Amino acid sequence: MTKIRIALVVVLLWSMVLTSFASAQTQRAWTNAPGIERKVEALLKQMTLEEKIGQLNQYSYGTPTGPGTGRSKVEESIQRGELGSFLNVVDPALSNRLQRIAMEQSRLKIPLIFGLDVIHGYRTTFPVPLALSATWDANLVERVSRIAAEEATSSGIRWTFSPMVDIARDPRWGRIVEGAGEDPYLGSIMARAYVRGYQGTSLNDPRSLAACAKHYVAYGAAEAGRDYNTVDMSERQLREVYLQPFHAAVDEGVATLMASFNTINGMPASANAFTLTQVLRGEWGFRGFVVSDWGSVGELIPHGIANDLSTAARKGFLAGVDMDMESNAYFQHLAAFVKSGQVPPSALDEAVRRILRVKFALGLFDRPYVDEKNAVTTLPAANVAAARAAAEKSFVLLKNDSGVLPLQKGVRSVALIGPMADSAPDMLGAWSARGDAKDVVTLKAALEARSKRDGFQLHYAKGTEIRSTSDAGFAEAAAAAAQADVVLLALGEDASWMTGEAASRAFIDLPGNQQQLLERVAAAGKPTALVLFSGRPLALTSAAARVQAIIEAWSPGVQAGPALERVLFGEAAPSGRLTVTFPRSLGQVPIYHSVLNTGRPPVGLDLTRPPTNGNEKFKSRYVDEQNVPLYPFGFGLTYTTFDYSATQVDAQQVSVDQLNAGRAQVRITAEVKNTGTRAGEEVVQLYIGLRGTSVARPIRQLKGFRRVTLEPGKSQRVEFTIGRDELSIWQRDTKYAVEPAELTIWIAPNAQSGTPATVMLK
Ligand code: BGC
């Protein structure tokens, strides 16, 4: 090694030490501050059993789950210290009124904490999280969540039930829209970005929200994609994939976690001592608190591990769920268990400590009220601009034959067809907090304005409803297409019914008769671009066969129209990349990129050949479908093209011992060139594969990525460095290690391409 290289490695290692120190510091900043600990202990000493249990109790305001008959008694509950938190209070005046009862009329004056699902914006609605992940831009995600925090805190909310960091590999699952897709590496980076954005540099900042990583854990692996369904998986899969983004969030200092609805290997996640106590507290040292999901303590009864609510309370609590959202189980039953000794008083103290720690860290004792005058009620212009920029970056161009997009500046007539073209509520997407459809600029509105400016004709026809079977509007749609130079088809999913919670689909095609509408319109023979609004990958094979271009727009938020219009006309280029695999057909589901090879991979090991060859009968494949997806993970086109050189590594062989000691790394480079005629952004991705290891490894795993911007004709050498963290394999318990192996590395534009390089780990 040359001196320069040694120096570089030293600098790199030192910066790694500093980075981990910095993130540990962020976590310590609120979890370990001695001042806070002293206050927590002093308060704890004064609390009665009932007051302690009160802190573990959360109600949704207006939902009559509360003690006694519900709503009308909530004020008394606060007075008596029987309530620690509300969700769904969004009116700052109400929040102050309730808080005043806690601060002025309750014995110990412990402030309430108000939580809400602030998922992708508060008043200003940004693209849905799956779309935000498609930006592959952690800084952008951090900015978006900071804006959401600033808006939400202005209404008295200091806690968001976000980020959802569930890995999701089954597009039938409606909640795939709420997360960052299928990959644990990308998911971890996004998890950290959300936590940084919400929590800021200090939780004590009145504009910071406590974040909540949810749903802990493996909720996204619900069997058959049916929401709330069973999950059964190996500990390896749990640790190497599903736990990863949670671990990242904890490492970044997330204040809270939410326990999920599902079972994991037979044990409900909301009563799971292994995940909630052994892993989360024991192994990771998490010092914040865990809230149940809505009623998930009570759901231990239908799960079959409790025959009554009191048993449910005991099991949920002893496993490590500190706060009971909406089951009212702790409130009714915990005291008796503590008195009888079935729940140790020390366990109760510990749960209360965790909750008080977060309340003190948020500064709620010093500043319990919100300034009602400053509540964000209208959309700040800067936030609207940020929403547009985020949307532009999240669109994924899936197909663009003969350069249909961007539309020509001199185009004379455009047909805009489809039920999504002017559907404001669907632009907001699932969980839009205080988003208001009235603030949305739809694609139709944006194109109308543009047509006046640019002087082209716009022929609009709705064609059909989102979930309709009537073809009454088809003729009008076909006529609009016939009159136009180019056709934009705005199709997709009903965001509130088909995406988000309890929105699993058994079919993942275009809903209703939209495919038939597409075929009818395409028959006009005009260049046609499909603008797709969906909260999940759809099976687009038949649609893709009939249109020249497809742009996946997800649920883009309030600025749907302006963002799309700018991208469609080329003022901005689509630069999103898929964070979830798009199948060719439903039968391939679940489908994701980091699969094992199997003992019988189709010939060529590459899973890219259709099953046409008779010799491939006894291979791991379908007889009636290809193995490969329609659009792979990481994929996305833009208005220019990029070329990748072969991947290069700086060594043929690296010592496993040195890697494990953190003293060696592998440096990998490739040259990326903009071969088109306009500037463009590329998401350069790094994948690794390991062979010859003690257990079978995925053919490819994402281990790095970088966004690069290149002028036409220009190239850039993109460099990655990987070491122990990227190469380690889970051994057992808390142990990870690098093993001797043949390491294959690809620097590539997506999970299905690239020219690899090989390094022996010895
Ligand atoms: C959802 C959570 C959400 C909670 C509170 C539940 O139904 O699963 O994601 O945070 O409700 O609204």
Side-chain angles (χ1 to χ4, degrees), residues 87-88 117 119 161 175 178 214-215 219 228 258 261 293-294 325 431 501:
L87 70 155
N88 297 334
D117 292 277
I119 308 292
F161 306 122
R175 304 199 80 167
E178 294 177 50
K214 71 186 189 185
H215 306 82
Y219 182 39
Y228 318 121
M258 183 184 289
F261 290 124
D293 202 342
W294 182 289
M325 179 195 285
W431 297 108
E501 187 177 354

Side-chain angles (χ1 to χ4, degrees), residues 97-441:
R97 185 170 74 72
L98 299 170
Q99 191 70 293
R100 209 157 278 127
I101 301 175
M103 298 312 289
E104 293 172 6
Q105 299 173 30
S106 76
R107 193 178 75 91
L108 290 175
K109 308 188 177 7
I110 303 177
L112 298 160
I113 175 170
F114 296 97
L116 186 78
D117 292 277
V118 181
I119 308 292
H120 51 112
Y122 179 69
R123 268 297 280 121
T124 309
T125 305
F126 287 83
V128 287
L130 187 59
L132 289 175
S133 74
T135 65
W136 295 63
D137 186 340
N139 292 333
L140 181 147
V141 168
E142 186 176 334
R143 274 197 304 278
V144 164
S145 25
R146 191 66 204 157
I147 291 173
E150 288 169 0
E151 291 189 2
T153 50
S154 81
S155 287
I157 293 149
R158 292 301 306 280
W159 180 21
T160 176
F161 306 122
S162 173
M164 185 188 102
V165 302
D166 294 313
I167 298 295
R169 297 175 162 184
D170 191 327
R172 290 172 294 188
W173 192 49
R175 304 199 80 167
I176 196 169
V177 69
E178 294 177 50
E182 71 184 45
D183 188 82
Y185 178 84
L186 183 72
S188 299
I189 285 178
M190 292 301 170
R192 285 179 185 275
Y194 280 104
V195 173
R196 282 196 305 273
Y198 291 136
Q199 299 195 169
T201 47
S202 166
L203 272 187
N204 191 31
D205 178 344
R207 300 197 304 175
S208 288
L209 288 170
C212 179
K214 71 186 189 185
H215 306 82
Y216 192 68
V217 55
Y219 182 39
E223 278 181 5
R226 204 178 71 220
D227 208 359
Y228 318 121
N229 204 8
T230 307
V231 173
D232 216 276
M233 69 168 60
S234 68
E235 188 173 346
R236 174 173 305 284
Q237 179 85 338
L238 190 63
R239 286 188 181 269
E240 291 193 341
V241 179
Y242 289 81
L243 283 170
Q244 287 296 320
F246 288 96
H247 195 178
V250 168
D251 193 45
E252 198 65 46
V254 73
T256 73
L257 263 76
M258 183 184 289
S260 57
F261 290 124
N262 53 291
T263 53
I264 306 160
N265 305 334
M267 181 55 78
S270 290
N272 202 310
F274 169 64
T275 53
L276 291 168
T277 298
Q278 183 178 322
V279 175
L280 179 63
R281 272 79 181 228
E283 296 177 14
W284 300 348
F286 174 65
R287 290 170 59 81
F289 71 87
V290 173
V291 63
S292 76
D293 202 342
W294 182 289
S296 70
V297 171
E299 289 180 19
L300 300 179
I301 301 171
H303 273 305
I305 67 156
N307 286 338
D308 49 49
L309 195 62
S310 77
T311 310
R314 181 172 50 81
K315 290 200 169 182
F317 180 77
L318 287 178
V321 175
D322 303 305
M323 186 182 278
D324 171 7
M325 179 195 285
E326 281 292 311
S327 293
N328 206 26
Y330 290 4
F331 175 74
Q332 293 181 64
H333 300 292
L334 269 193
F337 285 123
V338 177
K339 284 178 191 151
S340 71
Q342 281 170 284
V343 165
S346 59
L348 177 62
D349 283 356
E350 187 52 29
V352 176
R353 208 174 263 132
R354 290 168 183 151
I355 292 168
L356 293 180
R357 187 176 287 140
V358 173
K359 289 187 173 182
F360 274 112
L362 284 166
L364 283 172
F365 285 83
D366 301 328
R367 290 181 316 266
Y369 306 113
V370 60
D371 183 351
E372 292 168 36
K373 293 190 305 296
N374 288 341
V376 176
T377 48
T378 53
L379 306 195
N383 298 359
V384 172
R388 195 196 72 191
E392 284 174 15
K393 249 191 166 173
S394 74
F395 301 146
V396 186
L397 184 62
L398 296 173
K399 174 174 180 168
N400 194 18
D401 286 357
S402 42
V404 172
L405 297 178
L407 301 176
Q408 298 304 317
K409 285 272 178 310
V411 68
R412 279 166 313 158
S413 60
V414 176
L416 175 64
I417 296 168
M420 303 301 280
D422 200 27
S423 182
D426 288 301
M427 300 301 108
L428 294 179
W431 297 108
S432 59
R434 299 295 277 168
D436 187 338
K438 287 204 235 31
D439 299 321
V440 170
V441 182

Side-chain angles (χ1 to χ4, degrees), residues 86 92 115 124 165 254 405 468 573 651 660-661 679 691 738:
F86 278 107
T124 309
V165 302
V254 73
L405 297 178
S468 165
N660 275 320
R691 292 167 53 83
V738 183

